[in-house]
Structures are given as structure tokens and as C-alpha cells.
Amino acid sequence: MATQAPPPAAPVTVCRGIVKQVLSGDAVIVRGQPKGGPPPERQINFSNVVAPRIARRATTAAPETEDEPYAWESREFLRKKVIGKEVLFTVEAKTATGREYGIIYLGKDITTGENLTEAMISEGLVTVRRESIRGESRLVELEESARSQGKGKWAGKDSQHVRSVKWTCDSPRNFVDKHRGKPIDAVVEHVRDGSTVRCFLLPDYHYITLMISGIR
């Protein structure tokens, strides 16, 4: 009796979008093209890896949290690589709550483009979820290589790679007087509107809301 051939694998759907925000070393917000309204947005989480959790300010629903070691380095490496750039992505899994997991590529196609999951593992900035991978895996090989080279989080010295975030300012007037007219490096975290942004001031990680003078 002839053996029935297995059904052909479903074709991989490749999506395209622009990275609007990098939440952590393993999660980004990708926006599509506007069609009669605001552009659609999707949060894409990297499959099979987990990045160190980044600090969060206190809210009415949750207390303040601190960085896990190398969380800032992980997010910043990814942010500098992809923010504002067009990427390709495939979705491998979707949870009941709608969270999507997949692979993001930087390049013209998924064959020649840079696999960002592999790039983050190679830099030692995420950890492979080995429980979700069966058997040998290229991801495990990349992690072992990064570990042997002491790259990223595998370099140790964890206490030196946790920020002391200053979410509030005790004396805004004194702060302004001290820094008035001086250039300060900053990372913009959120654009509230055309004249207001929230950002981290470097290197001390003051979190401020900045209103641009002279416009509204």
C-alpha cells in the first residue's frame, strides 16, 4: 500500500512595516501604511528568546521596577539598529490574548536580510528559551559562542549594568538653573505631540517631559 505524502507546508507570510518603537531587546512596535486613518500598529515579540526586563516607573496599577542587568544595553543595541527603519517580519505564533511572536529581518528580503533574533543572541543581549526549542538549534549554538566569548550579559559585572533611573525631580527650578543653555544628550522615549516629548537625559537617566520653546 502506497504511503500518502504529507500535505505541503503552508507558505510563510512576510509582512513589512516601519519600526516605531523599541520596547526592549526582544519586542518592537511596527507600524504599517495609513489607509484613511492612523497607520495600523503591531507589537512583535521575538520567538524563542527573552531579553532582560527594562525599568518601569510606578503607576496606579503597579510599583516601580528596576532594570535587570544589561536591559538598557539590550534595548539600546536594538533601538539604534532598527528605529525608524523598514523591516520584514514573519509571525510564528499568536497567543489567546493576541500577543504575536515571530522573526524580524533587516534588509530587502528574509533570505538575505539580517535575522535580528540571531543578531541579539550573538551579542549576548538575550537568552535563548531552550524549553521552547526541540533538539539542536542554531540559536543555542550562537548563544554558546557568545557565552564563550564573554559578550554582553555573559561578561558578568551585572551590578555595573543596572541604571539608577531618576523618574522624578525634587527641585525642577534648581535642575533647570543648573543645566540652562547647556547641551545634554538624551534619548527620546515618547513623542506626545508636535511640541512635547518625554526623554531620558544622559548619562544620569533623568526622565523628563520636555516642551519645545516657542511652538505649540
Side-chain angles (χ1 to χ4, degrees):
M1 183 175 179
T3 303
Q4 185 176 4
V12 175
T13 300
V14 180
C15 304
R16 188 182 301 270
I18 294 175
V19 177
K20 173 185 176 180
Q21 185 178 7
V22 177
L23 303 174
S24 61
D26 61 358
V28 303
I29 302 294
V30 180
R31 70 165 177 82
Q33 295 297 322
K35 296 180 180 179
E41 297 180 1
R42 298 169 72 174
Q43 178 175 328
I44 305 300
N45 305 278
F46 290 15
S47 296
N48 303 317
V49 298
V50 58
R53 297 298 93 186
I54 204 159
R56 294 182 180 275
R57 69 184 307 179
T59 66
T60 54
E64 176 184 321
T65 64
E66 295 184 348
D67 281 345
E68 293 182 354
Y70 289 91
W72 180 253
E73 288 90 340
S74 178
R75 197 205 71 164
E76 281 299 278
F77 180 87
L78 183 60
R79 184 186 67 82
K80 291 175 181 179
K81 183 179 282 286
V82 301
I83 193 70
K85 294 183 180 179
E86 186 174 74
V87 296
L88 305 171
F89 64 92
T90 60
V91 175
E92 298 183 331
K94 188 173 183 178
T95 68
T97 59
R99 176 169 288 195
E100 296 180 298
Y101 291 85
I103 303 174
I104 299 177
Y105 301 86
L106 185 60
K108 295 182 178 180
D109 56 65
I110 65 173
T111 302
T112 62
E114 181 180 14
N115 181 319
L116 295 179
T117 300
E118 294 183 356
M120 295 297 290
I121 296 172
S122 296
E123 294 296 327
L125 296 174
V126 295
T127 303
V128 176
R129 291 182 181 271
R130 301 195 180 203
E131 69 277 7
S132 66
I133 299 175
R134 297 178 181 177
E136 295 299 318
S137 166
R138 171 170 167 77
L139 302 187
V140 173
E141 293 174 0
L142 291 173
E143 182 174 80
E144 289 301 326
S145 177
R147 187 196 298 266
S148 67
Q149 297 177 62
K151 299 182 73 173
K153 61 182 294 180
W154 308 118
K157 301 180 180 179
D158 287 358
S159 62
Q160 299 178 23
H161 294 272
V162 175
R163 295 175 300 158
S164 176
V165 179
K166 301 168 182 64
W167 295 110
T168 59
C169 183
D170 294 333
S171 178
R173 182 176 295 277
N174 290 342
F175 184 86
V176 171
D177 290 341
K178 179 181 177 181
H179 295 89
R180 188 184 304 274
K182 299 177 182 178
I184 305 175
D185 290 334
V187 175
V188 174
E189 293 289 297
H190 176 67
V191 179
R192 196 184 74 181
D193 54 46
S195 63
T196 309
V197 300
R198 294 191 178 96
C199 54
F200 279 118
L201 303 183
L202 304 179
D204 296 325
Y205 302 109
H206 285 280
Y207 185 71
I208 69 165
T209 298
L210 178 67
M211 299 179 182
I212 302 173
S213 299
I215 62 173
R216 181 179 181 183

